[in-house]
Amino acid sequence: MKFVLYAVARIAFFLVPFGLMMLMPIFQNLWWLAAIFSALIGLSLSIIFLRKPLTDVTTGMAERREQRASATRAEREREEEDAIEDAANDAAGDDRA
């Protein structure tokens, strides 16, 4: 949810200045210049106002990545233990015969 809010804010920080600039007659012919200025304004606003949300989003992403890594690590260890146990059972079965 935090990621969605952060993404919407970033998009709004670009689209609002772009829309305002496109209302000016000079930028209607030079839309690419309005896009460049809007990107710079949006970047500046994001750096100033979205520092905390960016930290929250990146922390959440890092936590999810770590959870996935620990889950796959535990699964890998379980598979290795099962393989060792199967090999031991096979070896024990061969000794009885």
Side-chain angles (χ1 to χ4, degrees), residues 9 25 31 34 44 46-48 58 61 65 71 74 84-85 88-89 95:
W31 61 268
S44 301
S46 296
I47 289 171
I48 294 169
T58 55
M61 291 172 74
R65 183 175 40 232
I84 292 170
E85 185 178 327
N89 287 339
D95 291 342

Side-chain angles (χ1 to χ4, degrees), residues 60-97:
M61 291 172 74
E63 288 172 356
R64 283 192 301 272
R65 183 175 40 232
E66 180 61 34
Q67 287 174 354
R68 257 187 274 137
S70 65
T72 56
R73 192 176 316 120
E75 184 177 310
R76 197 176 329 115
E77 290 173 358
R78 200 171 323 124
E79 288 174 358
E80 289 174 2
E81 289 174 1
D82 289 345
I84 292 170
E85 185 178 327
D86 290 344
N89 287 339
D90 290 343
D94 291 342
D95 291 342
R96 286 187 226 155

Side-chain angles (χ1 to χ4, degrees), residues 9-24 27 34-43 45:
R10 287 290 307 261
I11 292 170
F13 281 167
F14 172 78
L15 289 179
V16 170
F18 186 72
L20 291 174
M21 282 188 227
M22 290 307 292
L23 292 175
M24 297 179 198
F27 286 116
I36 291 171
F37 286 153
S38 297
L40 292 173
I41 292 169
L43 178 65
L45 291 174

